[in-house]
Amino acid sequence: MSGGLVALLDDVAALARLAAASVDDIGTAAGRASAKAAGVIVDDAAVTPRYVQGLNPKRELSIIWRIAKGSFRNKLVFILPALLVLSELLPWLLTPLLMVGGAYLCFEGAEKLWEKFGPGHHAPKKPAAAPDGPDEDAVVSGAVRTDFILSAEIMVISLNEVATEGLLSRAIILAVVAVGITVLVYGVVALIVRMDDIGLSLAERESPGTQRVGRALVKGMPKVMALLATVGVAAMLWVGGHILLVGTHDLGWHGLYDAVHHLEELVAEASPALDGLLAWLTNTAASALLGVLVGALIVAVMHLIPRRSHA
């Protein structure tokens, strides 16, 4: 009897050690997958703050929370199950679907440029009809749509990093990545958009040094938000273009990708001390240029051609 109990306890201990090792493996794999998607995570954090510009400051956190909930839903309810099914049944379809999302990002970025620099868009904007500013539902809907594309990119990159894992392990790892990245991104976004309130609180402290820091935050945050809005547009063009660049290579059309890679090598050889940074900048610039070209083409199809047909 006692021998059986000892054997049972040994089995339980072995299972506990196995479970702990599995948790460690999943945590390591999730960290590795998240690191691979770091570039897109940064872009996601840069894109989101522009959606709350012009809105009632008292509603900013509420709107960010609504967008974050939409992001959780995107990743866990739609993207994660779809990717697991596709990775099992139709793995070849992942790249074309991702490229469609990349083209959409290019369109969004190019459309923002058209709205700002295109003909007929330089006149002062008329006051909004709604006294409370932009429609919150429309803002949240647009932000969640963009988040869907960025989330899909993050999840596909993460999936590629753990493609050799079993189905259950892949599902757990991707769920960990989805939750962790969403909390990180929207936590940072919430902090960014409330920095002016933090500055006001610091400006009311007794310490002169703390007051100076607070006033600097209050004065500087509008410029930071404007900069982030610009970075967000650039990020959409860069990420969208990079998705298309890598996608063409994965589909067997190597010419464009090889040309950019060759250019990276030439630039890196010109300054070996900065080879990694220069290669990254070259790839980023090429991706952004491709994003602008593809986005401009889609904008022309979506806006200019229909307008001429009605003329």
Side-chain angles (χ1 to χ4, degrees), residues 243-258:
I243 292 172
L244 297 177
L245 180 66
V246 175
T248 57
H249 178 70
D250 291 343
L251 292 178
W253 308 325
H254 304 298
L256 185 59
Y257 183 91
D258 289 345

Side-chain angles (χ1 to χ4, degrees), residues 266-278:
L266 292 177
V267 172
E269 290 174 1
S271 181
L274 300 172
D275 55 349
L277 175 62
L278 293 176

Side-chain angles (χ1 to χ4, degrees), residues 8-283:
L8 177 60
L9 292 175
D10 286 341
D11 290 341
V12 170
L15 288 174
R17 288 193 296 270
L18 180 61
S22 299
V23 170
D24 288 340
D25 291 342
I26 288 172
T28 301
R32 188 174 69 247
S34 300
K36 278 288 185 178
V40 188
I41 296 168
V42 172
D43 296 334
D44 202 357
V47 167
T48 305
R50 72 184 180 87
Y51 286 103
V52 298
Q53 281 195 312
L55 296 173
N56 185 343
K58 295 181 180 179
R59 298 289 301 154
E60 287 175 345
L61 290 182
S62 175
I63 292 169
I64 290 172
W65 171 237
R66 290 178 62 188
I67 298 172
K69 287 192 293 184
S71 182
F72 278 119
R73 186 168 59 249
N74 283 342
K75 293 182 180 73
L76 296 175
V77 177
F78 300 118
I79 297 173
L80 176 56
L83 287 184
L84 291 175
V85 171
L86 289 176
S87 66
E88 287 293 309
L89 303 179
L90 301 169
W92 56 269
L93 193 57
L94 291 174
T95 296
L97 288 176
L98 196 57
M99 292 179 71
V100 171
Y104 177 77
L105 282 179
C106 294
F107 164 69
E108 272 218 330
E111 189 175 43
K112 295 299 180 185
L113 294 180
W114 174 257
E115 290 173 357
K116 186 170 184 178
F117 300 110
H121 295 277
H122 297 292
K125 293 183 179 180
K126 296 180 180 179
D132 296 329
D135 178 42
E136 290 186 8
D137 291 337
V139 168
V140 172
S141 177
V144 172
R145 282 198 304 270
T146 300
D147 174 90
F148 186 92
I149 306 301
L150 292 171
S151 294
E153 168 75 344
I154 290 169
M155 298 292 278
V156 169
I157 292 174
S158 302
L159 176 63
N160 288 339
E161 188 65 18
V162 296
T164 58
E165 302 286 341
L167 179 61
L168 180 58
S169 293
R170 267 179 284 154
I172 296 173
I173 291 168
L174 290 180
V176 170
V177 169
V179 172
I181 286 177
T182 304
V183 170
L184 173 63
V185 166
Y186 289 96
V188 170
V189 170
L191 180 63
I192 290 172
V193 301
R194 301 311 294 173
M195 284 300 290
D196 51 353
D197 287 342
I198 296 174
L200 285 173
S201 176
L202 294 176
E204 295 173 353
R205 302 289 178 87
E206 295 182 359
S207 169
T210 304
Q211 290 177 1
R212 284 195 295 272
V213 172
R215 287 193 294 268
L217 284 174
V218 172
K219 186 177 180 180
M221 282 314 297
K223 297 178 181 178
V224 171
M225 291 296 292
L227 176 62
L228 284 174
T230 301
V231 171
V233 173
M236 286 191 287
L237 294 168
W238 165 37
V239 174
H242 188 69
I243 292 172
L244 297 177
L245 180 66
V246 175
T248 57
H249 178 70
D250 291 343
L251 292 178
W253 308 325
H254 304 298
L256 185 59
Y257 183 91
D258 289 345
V260 173
H261 183 65
H262 181 63
L263 184 60
E264 289 179 45
E265 292 178 341
L266 292 177
V267 172
E269 290 174 1
S271 181
L274 300 172
D275 55 349
L277 175 62
L278 293 176
W280 180 83
L281 290 174
T282 302
N283 186 283

